[in-house]
C-alpha cells in the first residue's frame, strides 16, 4: 500500500510520490503480474505475483 502521487494535506510530498500506474508498469516490466486496488481515497495497493517462465 502506498500514497497516490497527488497533492494533499497529508502524505509524502508530491515530487517524491510514485503514481499507481507507474508503479504497476515498473513491476510488469520486471516480470510481475499486477492487480491494482484503491482501498481508500489517496492510497493504492498493488498485489504482484512473479510470472512463471
Amino acid at each position: 500500500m502506498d500514497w497516490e502521487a497527488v497533492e494533499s494535506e497529508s502524505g509524502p510530498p508530491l515530487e517524491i510520490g510514485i503514481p499507481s500506474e507507474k508503479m504497476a508498469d515498473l513491476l510488469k516490466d520486471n516480470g510481475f503480474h499486477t492487480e491494482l486496488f484503491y482501498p481508500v481515497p489517496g492510497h493504492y495497493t498493488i498485489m504482484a505475483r512473479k510470472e512463471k517462465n
Side-chain angles (χ1 to χ4, degrees):
M1 178 176 254
D2 201 357
W3 294 86
E4 187 65 80
V6 293
E7 193 68 44
S8 69
E9 292 181 14
S10 59
L14 181 60
E15 61 272 5
I16 66 167
I18 302 173
S20 56
E21 291 296 330
K22 182 176 181 180
M23 180 61 80
D25 288 343
L26 288 168
L27 288 163
K28 289 176 191 174
D29 290 347
N30 286 281
F32 288 85
H33 170 77
T34 63
E35 292 182 55
L36 188 55
F37 304 94
Y38 299 92
V40 294
H43 292 81
Y44 65 90
T45 298
I46 298 179
M47 184 166 44
R49 288 186 289 269
K50 188 72 171 171
E51 294 180 349
K52 296 179 181 177
N53 293 333

